[in-house]
Amino acid sequence: MRATGATATRTGSIVLAVLIVIGWPLAAKAEQARVVALGGSVTEIIYALGEEERLIARDTTSVYPQAATALPDVGYMRALSAEGVLSVEPTLILAEEGAGPPEVVDILESARIPFVTIPDDYSPDGILAKIEAVGAALEVEEKAQTLRNAVAADLNAATDETEALANGGEKRVLFILSLQDGRVMASGTQTAAYGIIEMAGAQNAVTSFTGYKPLTDEALAAAAPDAILMMDRTGDHAASNEDLFAIPALSLTPAAQSEAVIRMNGLYLLGFGPRTAEAARDLSVALYGG
């Protein structure tokens, strides 16, 4: 999927539709704000804009660049506590769509802290909309336009490269989120995994549902993936090749026969931020060589 300069008007309207600013005091100008970033891609964009000095805290998913990890961690973006966020005394919160839970967002809004929701669409245009939204919230629209243009050019170049690598022979890729009691939790459509697989010039092996669901043995056999894609996890969340191919239905797939398992950093692979073009290239090379 190609990012186009002609989408500025459309993405601008998306930004207006999803920016939710509650009770922003006139005195709390963006350039003076104490910013909490919730979501790894939001944090990456703030750094890419050169506005990191405004950050006072971040969420657990914000681990890039490395400098961000020195900031106070207010918790996982989907399981926040109001006390944790309020303890750092923010005057502006920038949050990826889906941050919460809703009752915590309600408390933060009732405290009259501006809470800006950044759109999260798993496409090249979605990345550009994120950049515009963060730039608008921080009142650095000119910087955001410069970054947007650079990222759009990179995404377009990556599309050309991944299409050339695939060369019309799109591989079927099964993204496995986790193994639960021997059951494969896999990606359907409308997920970050689906989006990055498409951008890499491949096909998501499962299209019969949206989101992430456990697959039956029959569904695994029908998916018939050429490759398996996973996040590079450690500890209790890790799944070795032996664990994967011990599942009978998975052991019969083309991916198992060629032991085609690709593991990549989760934020890099699924974050849909400024580095996504490079992630799509890396995934495409892992799938097709090059």
Side-chain angles (χ1 to χ4, degrees):
M1 188 179 299
R2 185 175 296 276
T4 65
T7 60
T9 299
R10 185 167 71 83
T11 54
S13 65
I14 294 173
V15 170
L16 291 175
V18 298
L19 279 179
I20 304 172
V21 184
I22 305 297
W24 194 319
L26 293 177
K29 297 293 288 181
E31 63 268 20
Q32 301 165 339
R34 293 169 52 83
V35 180
V36 171
L38 304 177
S41 67
V42 170
T43 301
E44 286 194 36
I45 291 169
I46 292 172
Y47 274 86
L49 290 171
E51 296 297 319
E52 64 272 17
E53 289 186 2
R54 305 190 196 188
L55 283 172
I56 59 165
R58 47 94 190 186
D59 81 307
T60 302
T61 70
S62 296
V63 294
Y64 183 90
Q66 180 66 31
T69 62
L71 294 167
D73 182 349
V74 298
Y76 177 52
M77 61 168 285
R78 300 187 192 277
L80 299 167
S81 73
E83 294 80 3
V85 177
L86 291 171
S87 69
V88 297
E89 300 181 358
T91 59
L92 175 62
I93 299 169
L94 302 187
E96 279 183 17
E97 191 173 346
E103 55 269 23
V104 170
V105 176
D106 289 343
I107 292 171
L108 297 173
E109 290 173 351
S110 67
R112 297 187 63 77
I113 298 171
F115 191 101
V116 181
T117 298
I118 305 301
D120 199 14
D121 180 69
Y122 308 123
S123 68
D125 283 350
I127 296 168
L128 304 184
K130 278 187 185 181
I131 293 169
E132 291 182 354
V134 173
L138 296 177
E139 297 181 4
V140 290
E141 289 87 348
E142 188 172 338
K143 279 187 174 182
Q145 189 63 39
T146 299
L147 178 61
R148 180 199 184 281
N149 291 344
V151 171
D154 198 23
L155 289 166
N156 288 337
T159 296
D160 292 339
E161 294 166 30
T162 59
E163 287 178 353
L165 284 174
N167 195 27
E170 295 182 344
K171 290 189 176 182
R172 295 171 60 82
V173 180
L174 178 67
F175 178 81
I176 297 179
L177 181 64
S178 64
L179 297 182
Q180 298 180 352
D181 299 323
R183 297 283 298 278
V184 170
M185 180 69 71
S187 167
T189 62
Q190 298 180 29
T191 66
Y194 183 93
I196 196 67
I197 288 168
E198 279 200 328
M199 289 176 64
Q203 296 179 352
N204 199 80
V206 180
T207 57
S208 58
F209 58 81
T210 61
Y212 297 93
K213 292 184 180 179
L215 295 184
T216 63
D217 289 347
E218 293 78 9
L220 271 175
D226 298 302
I228 294 167
L229 177 62
M230 303 184 73
M231 289 185 283
D232 187 8
R233 290 175 160 178
T234 58
D236 293 340
H237 298 291
S240 67
N241 287 9
E242 288 184 356
D243 294 331
L244 294 172
F245 301 142
I247 300 170
L250 197 56
S251 69
L252 301 175
T253 64
Q257 301 307 310
S258 60
E259 296 189 358
V261 181
I262 301 166
R263 293 179 175 85
M264 295 176 65
N265 176 271
L267 179 59
Y268 181 58
L269 180 69
L270 306 176
F272 277 76
R275 298 182 295 158
T276 296
E278 195 60 35
R281 290 186 182 96
D282 286 350
L283 176 55
S284 188
V285 168
L287 287 168
Y288 301 109

